[in-house]
Every structure is written in structure tokens, then in C-alpha cells.
Amino acid sequence: MIPIKHILFLVSGVSSFIIFYMGLVNYITAVESSTGIILLIFATAVSAGTLLSTVYISKSITNPIEKLAQNMTEFSKTNKITNKKPINTNIKEIYELNENFESMGQKVEKTLNVQKEYVMKLKEIDRKKVEFSSMISHELKTPLVPILGYVQMLQKQELMGELNKKQLDAVDEIYLSALKLQRLIGDILTTQKLDLGKLEFNQDNIDVTELLNSIIKDFSPIISEKNIYLIKEITQNEIIFSDKDRINQVFSNLIKNAIDFVESEKGQIIIGAKNNKEHIQFFVKDNGVGISEINQKEIFKKFYQIDTSASRKRNGSGLGLAICKGIIEGLGGKIWVESKENVGTTFYFDIPKQSIKVNNKNNST
């Protein structure tokens, strides 16, 4: 875009040249030399006046407008009106425009400062809320240890005496409920640590094939009970430097979700890894009911449930996928989902092959 000053001088220069040229032509072609001289002097005076007028207009109008435009540009970048360049002008409209801009800028700057203070206060409140929730979750976890211990002792009838079938069923139900509560509290604690940036990571060399084999071995009893297939798919073995336990935790959450959404005897879950230069792309694929496009955008949010009805069949806190996302991002990777309803779902997550800086116990990178 061309500045108004340049346009003004261009128009003025062309006009002055034309006027002077016409005076020069009249001087050359005039019959009487005195008339030609008068016309030339007149043309020169008009040309000079035009140029001087242009300089004056530029100084009194275009310069203040340029400074005002610079102040506005600077304000849009810094949101501070205190850095503005002073503008001196006798033009009423420009003066009023500058005054209105300064007034507006001061109000905006004041509003933004107040907003920043509120944001800082809200962050502090949120931090205290997270710390309080973490403390409560930890306190809830403490009494569960003796409850589970005594329930397990009751289940071993040779230790605490024999129970009839109804009593034993009640004890088993207490045990299962306590385990669910323990998992829920564990998920909440992990989520709080992720929010506070206090979740610890360890890093070591991981053989990808051995990792997948151990996961399949751990899930074999559950897979056999539901009579579904768990398959490993890997093109070539790789060694990565990351946190094996945390990656196992991600796989565990994703596989448990897949087990809930595939049919018995027809269900198939494939876990695997692909080599992608600087990353290893892990995946968990199933042939379950799939996830709608709307739910795909929301499933990584905390406490999000696809089925929110009172009669929903699947249990869960809605924290599993949020934890997966937090762990993967904490390890320097990313996680996403691809799914089609009534076809199946695939969760992908990338893990860097090389060491990255993470919050770990050994302070290693």
C-alpha cells in the first residue's frame, strides 16, 4: 500500500511540472518577449506555491495521520497506550480523533490489566482447588488399604472362619466395590498430578517387541474369559528411550476400553507399532461399535462419558483417556483417534525414540 504522503507529493509534482512546462512553452512561443517572461514567472510562482502548499499540507495533515497510524499499530501489538508518539496538530478533526483514540486506549489498557489480575486470581484458585482435591483423594485412599486387607482375609475362610454362600457373596461384592473405588481414586490422583505438572516419569531403553509381548501376556486371562482375540502387529523391532510403565498404563487403558466395546467371540483387538523416523507410532485397533464424530472431539476431556444415561452398562470415571493424553504429552508425544460407527476404532499415539526432558525421579533426560 502507498502512503498518503507519497501520493500527495506525486500529484503535486506532476501538477507543478505541467504548470511550469506550460509557462515555458508560452515563453518560447510568445510573440512579445515581455509577455513570455511574465507567463514564465507566473508559472514558476504557481509551481513553487503548489510544492510549498504540498509541504505544508504534508506537515500539518499527513504527518499527524502517519503518527496516529503508528500509535494504533503499536497499541494493537502491545496493548499499551503509554508508548505512543506525541502528536501536535491544529486540524480539529485529527486532534479529536487522536484524543478519542487516547481515551479508548487508556480504557482498554486498564480493562486488560484488570482482566490479567482476575486471570491470575482464578489460576491461583484453580491451583488450590487441584491441590485440595489431590489431598482429599490421598486421604480417601488411605483407609482402603485395611478394608481390602480384611476383606481378603475374610475370603480366605481358613483364616477368619467359614462363611455361608450369602455371606461370601457379600464379601466378594465389598471386595469388587473397594477395588473400583481404589481405581477411581488412583485415576483422580494421577489426573491431579498431571494438572499440577507433578507426575513423575522414568526413562530407560525399551524393546518395543518385548513391550507388546508383555502386554498381550498380561491381558491373556481377560481376553480368554471374554473369548475375543488380541493380536500383535509390528513391522520391525525398535529400541526407544522412554517410560515403560507409563506406556504400559496407556496401553492398559486403551485395551480395557476396546474390550468393553467389542462383542464376545467376534471381537478383535490389534496392538502394534510402526517406525516413523524420529517417533514410534503405537496403536490399539478394535472392531467394536465405533465412536461418532461428535464424541471423537470430546473423548480426551476429563470425566467425559460417551454414554451418559442412567442405565449405561459400562463403568468408568471418564478419566482414562484424559490420563492417556496427559501421559503421552508428558513424554513428548501426541495421541489421537480415528473411528467409524459400527466399523471400529483405532487409537494412535507417537512416542519419541530419543530422550526428552521430562519430570522424573532421577532428573535424567
Side-chain angles (χ1 to χ4, degrees):
M1 298 179 69
I2 304 174
I4 188 173
K5 181 188 292 185
H6 294 171
I7 295 174
L8 190 62
F9 275 105
L10 180 63
V11 173
S12 173
V14 171
S15 301
S16 298
F17 176 77
I18 292 172
I19 294 170
F20 178 77
Y21 179 76
M22 291 177 63
L24 183 62
V25 169
N26 287 325
Y27 169 74
I28 295 171
T29 58
V31 177
E32 295 182 4
S33 59
S34 59
T35 304
I37 292 172
I38 293 171
L39 290 174
L40 180 60
I41 293 171
F42 178 76
T44 303
V46 171
S47 297
T50 302
L51 289 173
L52 291 173
S53 299
T54 302
V55 171
Y56 173 77
I57 292 172
S58 174
K59 186 176 180 180
S60 60
I61 298 179
T62 60
N63 284 352
I65 291 175
E66 284 182 351
K67 286 184 180 179
L68 183 58
Q70 290 172 2
N71 289 340
M72 288 181 174
T73 302
E74 184 67 22
F75 177 73
S76 67
K77 293 178 180 177
T78 63
N79 293 324
K80 291 184 179 294
I81 196 68
T82 51
N83 298 330
K84 69 180 183 65
K85 296 179 179 179
I87 296 176
N88 298 316
T89 180
N90 295 321
I91 307 299
K92 179 182 177 183
E93 288 79 4
I94 297 177
Y95 176 81
E96 291 178 352
L97 181 62
N98 182 55
E99 288 292 307
N100 290 333
F101 166 67
E102 288 185 7
S103 176
M104 177 200 70
Q106 289 170 359
K107 291 177 181 178
V108 170
E109 187 175 348
K110 185 177 179 181
T111 302
L112 289 174
N113 289 334
V114 173
Q115 186 182 34
K116 285 180 182 178
E117 290 178 6
Y118 279 128
V119 169
M120 293 298 294
K121 288 179 181 178
L122 288 173
K123 285 183 177 179
E124 180 64 18
I125 292 170
D126 190 56
R127 185 186 64 80
K128 290 180 179 178
K129 181 184 70 175
V130 170
E131 288 180 347
F132 177 75
S133 299
S134 181
M135 180 194 69
I136 293 298
S137 299
H138 186 271
E139 292 302 316
L140 286 172
K141 190 177 182 180
T142 303
L144 275 177
V145 176
I147 291 173
L148 284 168
Y150 281 115
V151 168
Q152 287 172 326
M153 290 174 68
L154 287 170
Q155 287 175 324
K156 297 176 181 179
Q157 299 189 47
E158 65 273 12
L159 293 177
M160 303 290 287
E162 291 190 8
L163 301 174
N164 59 41
K165 187 177 184 304
K166 190 175 280 190
Q167 290 171 330
L168 192 58
D169 288 343
V171 170
D172 289 341
E173 186 62 33
I174 293 171
Y175 180 69
L176 291 174
S177 297
L179 283 179
K180 288 179 183 177
L181 183 58
Q182 187 182 50
R183 284 195 293 268
L184 174 60
I185 293 172
D187 285 347
I188 293 173
L189 281 170
T190 302
T191 305
Q192 303 298 347
K193 288 178 181 178
L194 284 168
D195 288 342
L196 292 170
K198 293 182 179 180
L199 187 67
E200 294 177 334
F201 296 92
N202 293 307
Q203 291 182 293
D204 202 355
N205 288 324
I206 304 170
D207 185 295
V208 173
T209 300
E210 289 182 4
L211 172 68
L212 297 179
N213 286 337
S214 68
I215 291 169
I216 289 177
K217 184 179 178 181
D218 291 341
F219 276 91
S220 291
I222 304 174
I223 296 299
S224 299
E225 183 181 343
K226 194 165 182 180
N227 197 19
I228 58 180
Y229 299 95
L230 180 59
I231 304 167
K232 178 187 71 177
E233 187 179 284
I234 183 170
T235 53
Q236 66 181 74
N237 192 30
E238 289 284 346
I239 303 294
I240 61 174
F241 193 72
S242 193
D243 192 322
K244 183 177 180 180
D245 292 333
R246 294 301 181 189
I247 295 175
N248 259 318
Q249 187 177 354
V250 172
F251 264 114
S252 179
N253 282 339
L254 296 178
I255 293 172
K256 285 176 182 177
N257 281 349
I259 290 172
D260 285 340
F261 286 93
V262 297
E263 295 183 28
S264 296
E265 300 183 356
K266 296 180 181 180
Q268 179 177 282
I269 301 170
I270 303 173
I271 65 171
K274 297 177 183 178
N275 183 16
N276 278 352
K277 294 183 180 179
E278 296 180 356
H279 294 79
I280 292 294
Q281 185 181 96
F282 293 98
F283 61 89
V284 176
K285 182 178 181 180
D286 67 61
N287 61 346
V289 296
I291 305 170
S292 69
E293 290 186 11
I294 295 175
N295 286 324
Q296 287 179 42
K297 298 175 182 177
E298 307 290 336
I299 56 175
F300 290 106
K301 293 182 178 179
K302 288 184 288 187
F303 302 107
Y304 185 79
Q305 297 280 1
I306 292 176
D307 182 4
T308 56
S309 63
S311 60
R312 65 188 179 97
K313 297 178 181 179
R314 300 174 181 87
N315 296 316
S317 61
L319 291 172
L321 291 176
I323 290 172
C324 289
K325 185 175 185 290
I327 289 173
I328 296 303
E329 290 178 352
L331 292 173
K334 62 178 181 178
I335 185 170
W336 69 99
V337 63
E338 294 178 4
S339 183
K340 288 186 179 180
E341 292 185 272
N342 302 317
V343 175
T345 301
T346 305
F347 283 92
Y348 296 93
F349 59 95
D350 287 344
I351 298 292
K353 292 181 183 179
Q354 301 300 322
S355 168
I356 61 164
K357 187 175 181 180
V358 296
N359 178 29
N360 55 49
K361 293 180 180 178
N362 302 320
N363 293 324
S364 59
T365 56

